[in-house]
Amino acid sequence: MENATREWTPSPDMFEPVGVMTQEADRISRPSHTYFQDARRRFMENRASVAGLILLILFVLLCVFGPLLVPYSYNTSDLSSANQGFSAQHWFGTDELGRDFWARVWTGGRMSIIIGLLAALMQAVIGILAGSAAGFLGGKVDQFIMRLVEFLMAFPYLVWVTLLMLITGAGFFPMVLALTLTGWLSMARLVRGQILSLKNEDYVIATQSLGADTRRIILKHMIPNTMGVIIINMTFAIPGAIFSEAFLSFIGIGIKSPMTSWGLLVSMGMKQIYTYPFRLLIPCVCISLTMLSLQLIGDGLRDALDPKLRR
């Protein structure tokens, strides 16, 4: 009888808010995502960045397959067909030597994009190695590298590129070399700052105490933890290299005819701006849209790879 008449006392857990319980259940049932899976999801949710990625893929496909869509080579002259407008035979018309402008535009885009990618990749390699050595080793190594960076950055970027191009001469490889030797500075400073913030982390100190050498610590532990900012910096370095190529070709010390690039087409189009303005407009639009797409992708990657925004 005593057990039957004992007053029932509710448990405090029964009064837990329904919202809290629902959130807890969602968190338990939600599948776990890695850092890069979450970054990819956030990037795909950014409509502007996805539009930039689609636009960049479209331009890359046109640069690769565009010249194959017409039966003309980019450097084949036909004076009887010179200075034609848009037509079914020549989609973008022809230039003053009768060369198909469609083939020249997309062959030039191929050249410009390849130069931008190679220059940005080589800038990243040199900048990562120099910045890692300066940040991790410190001392005289840091002083030497940073003083060199400050000296080179004291002059405008295009001044050094122009001087190097005048020394090495015009062409594909001299341009990539000139852009590389003057473009690694910002990457080095960025990586150095990241390394300085990571060198006192517990896992780095533990690795040092276990006897790992400097090269292994930098390559296996520190550089992978800076890949987010490195990728973002590269997406901004590529359009910078494309613009530099266009500028150098425009002033006559870059790509030379009969080879073509967007910068060279702009330079040649300026001479005929009043008679054939489309020859200037088309390569300018291609350069602008390519750089815009890379900037949008860089903005999206910057937000997607930010660990503070991870959910």
Side-chain angles (χ1 to χ4, degrees):
M1 291 296 294
E2 292 181 0
N3 293 335
T5 59
R6 181 179 298 171
E7 183 178 358
W8 175 72
T9 302
S11 173
D13 296 338
M14 297 182 62
F15 294 94
E16 186 174 2
V18 177
V20 175
M21 297 176 63
T22 304
Q23 293 177 2
E24 190 70 21
D26 291 342
R27 189 179 67 178
I28 295 174
S29 61
R30 185 188 307 162
S32 60
H33 296 286
T34 64
Y35 171 73
F36 287 103
Q37 288 176 337
D38 187 70
R40 181 180 61 182
R41 177 187 59 79
R42 281 184 283 155
F43 179 85
M44 298 305 295
E45 290 176 353
N46 190 326
R47 295 183 179 180
S49 299
V50 173
L53 179 61
I54 294 173
L55 183 61
L56 180 62
I57 292 174
L58 175 62
F59 271 93
V60 171
L61 291 176
L62 285 172
C63 290
V64 174
F65 300 106
L68 303 178
L69 300 178
V70 294
Y72 310 103
S73 174
Y74 74 94
N75 61 354
T76 301
S77 300
D78 182 9
L79 295 178
S80 62
S81 303
N83 295 322
Q84 291 187 4
F86 299 162
S87 64
Q89 291 77 26
H90 301 282
W91 298 345
F92 281 174
T94 59
D95 63 7
E96 67 278 4
L97 297 179
R99 296 173 295 192
D100 185 76
F101 204 66
W102 169 275
R104 288 187 66 78
V105 166
W106 299 121
T107 303
R110 186 187 304 171
M111 177 66 65
S112 297
I113 292 177
I114 289 175
I115 289 175
L117 288 173
L118 283 179
L121 181 61
M122 295 176 67
Q123 290 170 13
V125 172
I126 297 176
I128 290 170
L129 294 178
S132 300
F136 189 78
L137 299 177
K140 294 183 179 180
V141 175
D142 185 25
Q143 291 291 326
F144 173 76
I145 294 176
M146 286 300 102
R147 297 298 81 76
L148 176 62
V149 169
E150 291 169 0
F151 172 75
L152 294 176
M153 295 188 72
F155 299 89
Y157 168 70
L158 288 176
V159 171
W160 289 114
V161 176
T162 305
L163 289 175
L164 288 172
M165 288 297 295
L166 291 173
I167 295 172
T168 59
F172 176 82
F173 291 105
M175 179 174 292
V176 173
L177 177 63
L179 293 175
T180 299
L181 294 179
T182 57
W184 60 273
L185 307 176
S186 60
M187 178 67 79
R189 295 184 66 179
L190 178 66
V191 172
R192 174 181 177 270
Q194 293 292 316
I195 296 297
L196 287 175
S197 64
L198 293 174
K199 66 185 297 184
N200 294 322
E201 294 290 334
D202 292 339
Y203 68 91
V204 176
I205 297 175
T207 306
Q208 288 178 306
S209 64
L210 292 174
D213 60 352
T214 301
R215 182 180 62 85
R216 179 177 178 83
I217 295 174
I218 292 176
L219 296 179
K220 297 292 185 180
H221 299 282
M222 306 193 76
I223 291 181
N225 284 282
T226 64
M227 285 305 299
V229 294
I230 290 173
I231 293 173
I232 295 169
N233 185 271
M234 287 189 63
T235 59
F236 290 109
I238 294 172
I242 292 175
F243 175 79
S244 298
E245 180 278 322
F247 171 78
L248 293 172
S249 298
F250 178 78
I251 64 177
I253 60 174
I255 300 299
K256 295 289 187 179
S257 186
M259 183 54 69
T260 182
S261 70
W262 282 339
L264 182 60
L265 293 176
V266 171
S267 177
M268 299 176 66
M270 281 292 295
K271 303 174 184 178
Q272 301 170 327
I273 185 173
Y274 296 109
T275 54
Y276 304 101
F278 67 91
R279 295 182 189 170
L280 173 65
L281 181 62
I282 291 174
C284 285
V285 170
C286 291
I287 293 173
S288 300
L289 292 180
T290 302
M291 294 181 66
L292 174 63
S293 64
L294 288 166
Q295 294 285 346
L296 292 175
I297 293 172
D299 289 337
L301 288 175
R302 180 178 57 195
D303 296 336
L305 296 173
D306 188 352
K308 298 179 182 178
L309 300 178
R310 186 179 182 186
R311 297 197 300 267

